[in-house]
Amino acid sequence: MPRYLAKRRLVRRGAPPHSAMACRTLELDELLAKAQNEFQQQFGARPDIAAAAPGRVNLIGEHTDYNDGFVLPMALPMVTVVVGRKTSDGRCTVATAVPEADEPRRVSFSVPSKQPLLPGSPKWANYVKGVIANFHAASAVEGFEAVILTTVPLGGGLSSSASLEVATYTFLEALTNNQSKQLKDKALACQKAEHDFAGVPCGIMDQFISVMGKKGNALLIDCKSLEAELVPLDDPKVAILVTNSNVHHNLGSSEYPVRRRQCEEAARILKKPSLRATKLEELMAQEKTMDEVIFKRALHVIGEIRRTEQAALALRVGDNAWLGRLMNESHQSLRYDYEVSCPELDLLVDYANEVEGVWGSRMTGGGFGGCTVTLVNQDAVDKVIANISSKYPGKATFYVATPSDGAQIVKL
């Protein structure tokens, strides 16, 4: 057995004396106003179309989505917005004022009916191009001007890429007055955009939750059947604290496809269509015949799938202690068996768990930096922030997040 088994607004907490700077995220109305001003500067006019889509935090179920497993994310109040207007010149001109985006921050290209879209430079524009190319009514896109802004931290493991993809797709729906009949198809189109144009073989979780998130709920997603079920997450006594380590190790982009190939190899050895179809007993029976690294990767995935199912049940029955234990087990598995954590994330988890009132904590996202997610009593949030801030060698930022709605067309 594994060694460790035994309202559109982000709430801001006042920073305790020893706290790192607490993050204030713009409300949606503020972000839209800023985007409209940027559009005026870029294009000399006012936009008349706007769309927004959230980032997400995954409560549990890491690196299970591309293994046909379960995931349990919630949509965040942090969003990406796209504002713009329709043109008929056969050109798409898109600008972003996101400081972390690579240059150039304004691009123009032909609509797909005139010329096939291809990935290139800058990288951020590939997500936009990919969505346009995979939009269900791509032939109806005659041209547009648009500006993109976001409050989702880039590279923080909170799915800024899916937020951008889904916001762009929702903007196109408003632009063409042609909405997708199935939310599932919308999410799949955005996932394909990331595969084909960004070159990231991501699972379906990020796009699903950005499309389908609901206020006051997490979303249990079966990544094999593509069925999703809302799970209430509305206990007023408990908070979800997201802590950004503000470190991003370069290993992340290169190791993700490696982990995916290792999981596929494990399934091949076990003669299973995916690790979802494998029982822990079947894996343990093959331990001595498998490469140690491949075995450890499979051990994490199989255990994580089970933990995620149990976590959804823990939420339904209101058992915070059970959910917290599962989160802690998840982090240890990601640290030692899947090997995608890093010293900074481990410290954040350890320092959080030192505080009375914390039920559990774990890294969230792909790993090698980014954020942790902590289940904590409301009255202990400031103590957690103070403890981390006094000990963490870097500068962490903190978000007390509430489960929020998914993508929406916004009236300007």
Side-chain angles (χ1 to χ4, degrees), residues 20-53:
M21 182 176 63
C23 177
R24 180 188 183 275
T25 297
L26 294 177
E27 294 184 28
L28 178 58
D29 291 344
E30 294 176 285
L31 185 62
L32 284 169
K34 189 175 180 181
Q36 289 177 82
N37 289 336
E38 182 67 26
F39 189 91
Q40 179 77 49
Q41 294 177 30
Q42 290 279 347
F43 300 106
R46 301 292 291 177
D48 53 20
I49 300 168

Side-chain angles (χ1 to χ4, degrees), residues 206-354:
D206 296 351
Q207 291 81 9
F208 255 57
I209 187 60
S210 190
V211 170
M212 302 179 190
K214 290 294 181 184
K215 183 178 179 180
N217 290 272
L219 189 69
L220 179 66
I221 306 170
D222 184 333
C223 299
K224 180 180 180 182
S225 69
L226 299 184
E227 296 299 321
E229 178 183 356
L230 292 172
V231 181
L233 181 57
D234 54 4
D235 184 346
K237 301 186 296 296
V238 175
I240 303 296
L241 176 66
V242 179
T243 305
N244 194 338
S245 68
N246 288 309
V247 297
H248 313 290
H249 295 289
N250 292 331
L251 281 171
S253 59
S254 61
E255 288 296 315
Y256 182 94
V258 171
R259 294 300 184 280
R260 186 159 187 161
R261 288 195 298 270
Q262 290 169 335
C263 291
E264 291 168 351
E265 174 65 10
R268 186 193 65 79
I269 293 170
L270 293 162
K271 296 182 173 59
K272 299 289 185 178
S274 70
L275 290 178
R276 162 76 175 274
T278 306
K279 296 179 180 178
L280 181 60
E281 295 78 10
E282 294 174 315
L283 174 65
M284 300 305 293
Q286 296 293 326
E287 179 176 7
K288 293 183 179 179
T289 66
M290 295 178 71
D291 175 83
E292 181 183 2
V293 171
I294 299 297
F295 172 80
K296 288 167 63 178
R297 304 299 186 252
L299 183 63
H300 164 73
V301 171
I302 294 168
E304 188 79 348
I305 291 172
R306 185 203 63 225
R307 283 188 289 270
T308 305
E309 291 181 281
Q310 292 178 338
L313 180 57
L315 271 179
R316 291 189 187 101
V317 301
D319 193 333
N320 295 323
W322 186 14
L323 178 57
R325 286 195 301 273
L326 293 167
M327 293 173 69
N328 288 332
E329 289 176 9
S330 173
H331 183 78
Q332 295 307 312
S333 179
L334 288 159
R335 179 179 183 179
Y336 292 110
D337 289 332
Y338 220 64
E339 297 180 285
V340 291
S341 187
C342 63
E344 294 88 351
L345 293 175
D346 296 337
L347 286 175
L348 291 178
V349 167
D350 290 344
Y351 295 153
N353 277 318
E354 288 176 353

Side-chain angles (χ1 to χ4, degrees), residues 76-276:
L76 291 169
M78 291 177 280
V79 299
T80 297
V81 298
V82 182
V83 302
R85 64 176 181 173
K86 189 174 185 177
T87 63
S88 57
D89 59 0
R91 302 289 295 175
C92 303
T93 304
V94 189
T96 181
V98 177
E100 298 88 352
D102 55 324
E103 298 282 357
R105 292 183 183 152
R106 176 167 167 159
V107 295
S108 184
F109 46 87
S110 296
V111 296
S113 60
K114 287 194 172 187
Q115 184 176 334
L117 296 178
L118 297 172
S121 181
K123 292 179 180 179
W124 65 265
N126 289 331
Y127 297 95
V128 178
K129 292 178 184 176
V131 170
I132 298 170
N134 287 282
F135 183 58
H136 74 279
S139 61
V141 180
E142 298 176 356
F144 63 84
E145 296 168 335
V147 161
I148 297 167
L149 279 179
T150 191
T151 54
V152 185
L154 271 63
L158 301 180
S159 195
S160 57
S161 58
S163 177
L164 170 57
E165 292 154 8
V166 174
T168 301
Y169 198 103
T170 307
F171 172 82
L172 295 177
E173 289 179 313
L175 181 82
T176 61
N177 196 27
N178 194 327
Q179 290 187 262
S180 298
K181 291 184 173 62
Q182 297 289 335
L183 295 180
K184 184 186 302 184
D185 293 339
K186 178 176 177 176
L188 288 168
C190 292
Q191 180 198 35
K192 191 172 189 301
E194 188 153 342
H195 287 186
D196 295 348
F197 279 73
V200 179
C202 63
I204 193 59
M205 170 180 64
D206 296 351
Q207 291 81 9
F208 255 57
I209 187 60
S210 190
V211 170
M212 302 179 190
K214 290 294 181 184
K215 183 178 179 180
N217 290 272
L219 189 69
L220 179 66
I221 306 170
D222 184 333
C223 299
K224 180 180 180 182
S225 69
L226 299 184
E227 296 299 321
E229 178 183 356
L230 292 172
V231 181
L233 181 57
D234 54 4
D235 184 346
K237 301 186 296 296
V238 175
I240 303 296
L241 176 66
V242 179
T243 305
N244 194 338
S245 68
N246 288 309
V247 297
H248 313 290
H249 295 289
N250 292 331
L251 281 171
S253 59
S254 61
E255 288 296 315
Y256 182 94
V258 171
R259 294 300 184 280
R260 186 159 187 161
R261 288 195 298 270
Q262 290 169 335
C263 291
E264 291 168 351
E265 174 65 10
R268 186 193 65 79
I269 293 170
L270 293 162
K271 296 182 173 59
K272 299 289 185 178
S274 70
L275 290 178
R276 162 76 175 274

